[in-house]
Amino acid sequence: MGPRRALRIGITCYPTTGGSGIIATEIGLALSQRGHKVHFICYELPGRLVPQPSGITFHRVRVREYPLPHLDTYVLALASQLAEISAAADLDLLHLHYAIPHTTSAYLASQLLRERGRQPPRLITTLHGTDVTQVGSDPALLPMHRFTLRHSDGLTVPSAYLRQAVYDDLGLPPATPIEVIANFVDTELFRPADPGQRRWDELARVLDQPLTRLPPTPGEAPRRRAGARGRGAPPRVLIHSSNFRPLKRIDDVLRVFDEVQKVVPAILLLVGDGPERPRIEALTRELGLTESVYFLGLQRDFLLALRHSEVFLLASTTEGFGLSALEALSCGIPVVGSRVGGVPEVVRDGETGLLCAAGDIAAMTQSVLRLLQDRALHRRMARAARASVQTFWRKDPMVSLYEDYYYRILDQPARP
Ligand code: GMT
């Protein structure tokens, strides 16, 4: 095959810290480095594009608020902007990350362009998770969701599990082609701690900041303070990171930690933020764990904290893939998690982590203790974790799969 022409690509995603926004941004950055012209069309500059790199154009979708109940103009504002930018930048394709409502807006944009006598860009939708399993299968949304997905020129998902869920939960005809292209990580960035680095010296930079711990609850039982740093061997370090939504079951993470620290002095690092945070803070107080649970929020030192942790906990009820688990594995941190959704495709049970039924706190506790108490097992899994990511989930090959997929879709005849 001769050299392929550079493409003009529009990307729309949620510019938040969630996995779909991260993957979308990394794809766009990598494609622009490969010579493609990339336009991000989002309501804010995605976090990983700050400061904005050259070669990337960012278009803000301006969404105004009006004093009318239930009036949300995002879908229409995005559709109008997608049409305008597609025409002005002569886009070859629009890649929509998280289908709701992005695919609907893109469909409307392409109809508008057709009416104006222009060939619209090809539409590629990547479904990430709850746009299939939860929001996506809401009967109130499903008819329009399914309709606009059927009008995408290409569909991708990050796991075989999610592909099946698209057929089962959204009722797309089984003949609909859906490409599985897994999530990926930058293995240089997400790498294990350098050998010889002292865990506590490094972690101190992250932990010794104001407000990472809740003020102690009056009368909090002193035995619960075993996890606090002090004299003797340093505590063991568990970590969880997410956007603190109910489906992440962070209360399970906390309860598992509670059981673990009764046996082994340990601390828990909670990274991220979201609607569950007040409830999780209340449970931390209730369990008397204010000394040993660190709320690190949304911080850039997350990588440092991750590298110096020993076990990553992921207790979700569902995951399209489980990008946070992949990031942990890449740092050589074994995962104890729930056997749901795409997680077993990422975490090899017994090899790179230990999986349990969602909600089985006793089994997760035992799994964490096994890893903390059997150093040889931990070492073996840590090595296997890192090796698995280097073999299967490196960024460059995965971006090439997207790139190849774009050309394949563009090679197909355009819809009339
Ligand atoms: O689907 C979501 O809930 C949102 C999305 C996000 O923006 O965080 O997360 C999903 O996309 C990630 C990237 O593909 C996957 O790794 C996550 O597993 C998935 N989350 C869920 O399915 C809960």
Side-chain angles (χ1 to χ4, degrees), residues 18-20 98 128-130 158 183 243 245 247 318-323:
S20 58
Y98 201 88
H128 282 271
T130 52
N183 286 179
N243 45 14
R245 284 178 302 165
L247 66 82
T318 174
E319 286 291 342
F321 183 87
L323 179 60

Side-chain angles (χ1 to χ4, degrees), residues 28 47 76 78 137 142 146 160 237 255 296 304 357 390 398 408:
L76 294 183
L78 176 61
S137 39
L142 189 52
R146 188 163 42 210
V237 186
R255 289 186 193 283
L296 300 182
L304 200 66
Q390 285 176 314
M398 226 50 102
R408 254 193 289 151

Side-chain angles (χ1 to χ4, degrees), residues 102-252:
H102 300 150
T103 306
T104 301
S105 298
Y107 169 77
L108 292 172
S110 60
Q111 292 303 100
L112 179 71
L113 289 168
R114 279 199 176 91
E115 194 192 68
R116 291 181 179 169
R118 287 196 71 114
Q119 182 61 45
R122 306 296 167 86
L123 305 185
I124 294 178
T125 299
T126 293
L127 295 133
H128 282 271
T130 52
D131 47 355
V132 178
T133 53
Q134 296 197 340
V135 192
S137 39
D138 179 341
L141 309 179
L142 189 52
M144 191 52 66
H145 184 34
R146 188 163 42 210
F147 169 75
T148 52
L149 284 177
R150 282 202 290 108
H151 284 80
S152 270
D153 299 286
L155 297 176
T156 89
V157 289
S159 63
Y161 152 78
L162 201 63
R163 175 167 60 187
Q164 194 54 48
V166 173
Y167 298 128
D168 296 345
D169 299 359
L170 305 185
L172 255 67
T176 313
I178 304 175
E179 193 81 359
V180 178
I181 307 179
N183 286 179
F184 54 83
V185 282
D186 182 337
T187 49
E188 289 303 304
L189 198 62
F190 286 88
R191 57 169 200 277
D194 295 332
Q197 261 183 349
R198 307 247 341 247
R199 164 169 292 125
W200 272 113
D201 295 348
E202 288 290 307
L203 263 182
R205 282 172 41 202
V206 184
L207 303 186
D208 291 346
Q209 291 173 21
L211 304 175
T212 51
R213 278 181 295 176
L214 302 173
T217 311
E220 195 168 319
R223 77 178 175 79
R224 296 305 179 99
R225 299 188 174 205
R229 288 167 63 194
R231 279 171 285 126
R236 314 301 297 275
V237 186
L238 311 185
I239 189 166
H240 165 85
S241 80
S242 72
N243 45 14
F244 279 55
R245 284 178 302 165
L247 66 82
K248 300 288 175 182
R249 292 186 73 114
I250 307 180
D251 33 7
D252 286 7

